[in-house]
Amino acid sequence: MTYISNTEADRAAMLNAIGVGSFEELLDNIPPEIRLEDGLELPEAVSEYEALKELRAISGRNRNSNELISFLGGGAYDHFVPSVVGAIVSRSEFSTAYTPYQPEVSQGTLQTIYEFQTMMCNLTGMDVANASMYDGGSSLAEACLLAAAHTGRDEIVIAGKVHPHYLQIARTYCGGQEINLKQTTLVDGVANVDDVRKSVTSNTAALVVQQPNFFGCLEDVFELGLIAHAQGALYVVAVDPISLGILVPPGDYGADVVVGEGQSLGIDMSYGGPYLGIFAVKQPLLRRIPGRLSGITVDSEGKRGFVLALQTREQQIRREKATSNICTNQGLMMLSACVYLSLLGKQGIQEVARLCLQKSHYLAQRLSALPGYQLKFRQRFFKEFVLETPTSPRLIIEHLLSKNIAPGLDLAGFSEHDSGLLVAVTEKRTKNEMDQFVEALQTL
């Protein structure tokens, strides 16, 4: 039995054992301006029933995608999630599993990771994939660190419009290692290729592009890859995995690292997470990939087995030799994507991608025909586009929410330099729902 002391003398003895005279001395490194001076203003304690009742009331104030016709995008999309995904991931052997440190008792988890890695390689055209990233933003940030470590350079060039949240995370990751992120200019919603060519130098560790980009536009990824490699920089591409059902995979146009957000692969929007980061590389970068890898082998009797391979986390090897300190993978999210991809197969992913493409272009055509509305950019797009509106996007959002339609995202909420309504259309949206969207704008 473990005894926890709570007397004044025992507390003083414990503090003395670690070389401090009081608990306050432990807080010396916390700046006074961010300390709480007056204590927490907590309500009176309530029973479990009362707490649950209050939480349900708060939850009921939210509007979810089952109640709304959703055209939200910007990294989180209302794709269809087959019921079997939830049925499988909720099984106790999966929902209670953790990091498979002991492969001999974790064969199911390791096989799932292995299958997911294989599917990601098939989808992206890359050689190796992991299953350990938290989301699209952390994947991009880890790719920046990988590029700097591999090339010995300290500058990352951003081409085109990459998700602002991803860049915030990347800057946080890179700031402590004095890696600089340089943003290039845009032309009609995509990368200014001439500016990118001037910006990528012998000091550039990686050129980063998002395809489709944050505005939904398709970048000239072939030309950008040539620019990166001409200067010896790595080429990092952030993808929407659904788009790869019809777009050329990054491995075919020279990507060295592919990252992305896997939420669209059978994972509910869930008010922003937990999500799933995709991370895949070409063979030469195998030993620099962060997180964990599941490998296949045979035991002493020749039977197939799965193991953790090339473990490069700082928990497992010397810190100075580690590629990253990223630890817990989004196991259930990875499993959800694995089940989703297994159900749809190659043809299913292609069909979902085609539906997104066709439906988004139908809605874009109808919206841009309304007086005062037009597409902001004249670029090709996949399932997302920016609409210029005659009135504030915020007012449009408020008006349409009253009609149970979530029309998209106000770009001003992401950057003071951007404007317009970002509209996303998935395979779930019907012609009737899209027509309702158009009719609702006509009554504004």
Side-chain angles (χ1 to χ4, degrees):
M1 179 181 293
T2 301
Y3 172 69
I4 301 177
S5 171
N6 198 33
T7 67
E8 208 49 58
D10 286 335
R11 287 199 295 272
M14 287 189 286
L15 290 169
N16 183 63
I18 61 175
V20 296
S22 67
F23 175 77
E24 284 68 30
E25 284 187 46
L26 297 174
L27 309 179
D28 283 346
N29 291 328
I30 302 176
E33 60 269 20
I34 67 171
R35 295 191 191 185
L36 190 65
E37 298 292 341
D38 302 322
L40 292 172
E41 296 182 5
L42 297 176
E44 294 294 324
V46 296
S47 67
E48 178 184 1
Y49 168 74
E50 292 170 313
L52 288 173
K53 186 176 181 180
E54 182 174 353
L55 289 172
R56 289 192 186 101
I58 295 172
S59 175
R61 291 156 56 188
N62 290 326
R63 307 282 298 281
N64 64 56
S65 59
N66 293 322
E67 301 169 343
L68 300 171
I69 302 172
S70 177
F71 295 93
L72 300 175
Y77 303 96
D78 186 26
H79 286 286
F80 175 67
V81 180
S83 298
V84 70
V85 173
I88 291 177
V89 301
S90 63
R91 289 176 61 93
S92 60
E93 61 266 40
F94 291 123
S95 63
T96 61
Y98 186 55
T99 297
Y101 288 120
Q102 295 176 280
E104 66 275 10
V105 295
S106 304
Q107 287 298 291
T109 299
L110 286 167
Q111 180 175 356
T112 302
I113 293 175
Y114 182 85
E115 301 292 354
F116 171 78
Q117 293 170 179
T118 303
M119 292 174 184
M120 288 299 102
C121 289
N122 290 337
L123 196 60
T124 61
M126 303 299 280
D127 298 328
V128 186
N130 71 7
S132 297
M133 302 293 105
Y134 303 133
D135 49 30
S138 67
S139 293
L140 179 60
E142 290 284 351
C144 293
L145 298 186
L146 180 153
H150 181 72
T151 62
R153 303 174 181 181
D154 60 5
E155 182 179 83
I156 306 294
V157 174
I158 309 300
K161 189 65 177 183
V162 175
H163 198 306
H165 294 171
Y166 294 4
L167 294 182
Q168 286 178 356
I169 297 169
R171 288 191 179 96
T172 300
Y173 270 60
C174 293
Q177 298 196 32
E178 299 183 348
I179 301 169
N180 180 49
L181 270 65
K182 181 195 294 185
Q183 178 72 62
T184 56
T185 58
L186 303 178
V187 175
D188 194 30
V190 297
N192 182 336
V193 174
D194 290 335
D195 188 29
V196 173
R197 189 175 287 110
K198 295 174 184 176
S199 300
V200 176
T201 68
S202 58
N203 191 46
T204 302
L207 176 64
V208 175
V209 66
Q210 186 172 350
Q211 178 75 341
N213 69 19
F214 179 64
F215 292 146
C217 302
L218 298 182
E219 298 279 359
D220 187 353
V221 287
F222 288 87
E223 181 64 24
L224 293 173
L226 294 175
I227 293 172
H229 292 151
Q231 294 292 341
L234 295 186
Y235 189 29
V236 177
V237 181
V239 299
D240 173 352
I242 293 294
S243 74
L244 298 180
I246 55 176
L247 296 183
V248 176
D252 288 5
Y253 51 79
D256 298 293
V257 183
V258 174
V259 298
E261 174 54 65
Q263 177 272 328
S264 57
L265 303 175
I267 299 171
D268 290 314
M269 290 189 288
S270 301
Y271 205 63
Y275 285 169
L276 170 68
I278 295 169
F279 199 104
V281 301
K282 288 294 189 180
Q283 186 71 28
L285 297 174
L286 169 62
R287 292 188 176 274
R288 291 199 178 274
I289 196 168
R292 61 172 63 80
L293 295 171
S294 176
I296 191 169
T297 186
V298 293
D299 63 16
S300 59
E301 298 178 354
K303 297 178 180 178
R304 184 186 71 169
F306 298 90
V307 295
L308 286 178
L310 300 173
Q311 300 181 62
T312 57
R313 296 188 303 154
E314 67 174 25
Q315 288 183 343
Q316 296 151 323
I317 62 175
R318 287 180 297 173
R319 177 171 294 180
E320 63 272 18
K321 298 290 185 181
T323 60
S324 169
N325 67 351
I326 199 163
C327 297
T328 305
N329 66 322
Q330 301 287 34
L332 290 178
M333 303 302 103
M334 174 274 301
L335 177 60
S336 296
C338 195
V339 174
Y340 177 86
L341 289 168
S342 299
L343 288 168
L344 268 67
K346 181 178 180 179
Q347 290 182 327
I349 290 292
Q350 290 174 341
E351 181 62 21
V352 171
R354 278 194 294 267
L355 288 171
C356 291
L357 178 71
Q358 294 163 358
K359 293 183 177 187
S360 62
H361 281 71
Y362 169 80
L363 180 60
Q365 184 179 28
R366 288 221 57 195
L367 290 174
S368 59
L370 295 175
Y373 293 86
Q374 63 179 357
L375 297 186
K376 186 166 186 174
F377 308 114
R378 298 182 302 276
Q379 304 291 339
R380 298 169 300 164
F381 62 91
F382 169 57
K383 68 178 181 187
E384 209 160 6
F385 55 88
V386 178
L387 187 69
E388 285 192 325
T389 61
T391 186
S392 164
R394 181 179 58 82
L395 295 177
I396 290 174
I397 292 170
E398 291 177 357
H399 174 69
L400 266 66
L401 281 175
S402 68
K403 298 179 179 295
N404 294 324
I405 299 172
L409 299 173
D410 183 358
L411 287 178
F414 291 88
S415 169
E416 61 182 13
H417 304 295
D418 295 326
S419 63
L421 185 68
L422 183 64
V423 181
V425 187
T426 70
E427 80 285 3
K428 285 179 63 175
R429 299 287 69 87
T430 65
K431 181 177 182 297
N432 180 57
E433 289 173 337
M434 291 185 282
D435 290 343
Q436 286 183 54
F437 184 178
V438 175
E439 292 165 6
L441 286 183
Q442 292 173 324
T443 65
L444 184 61

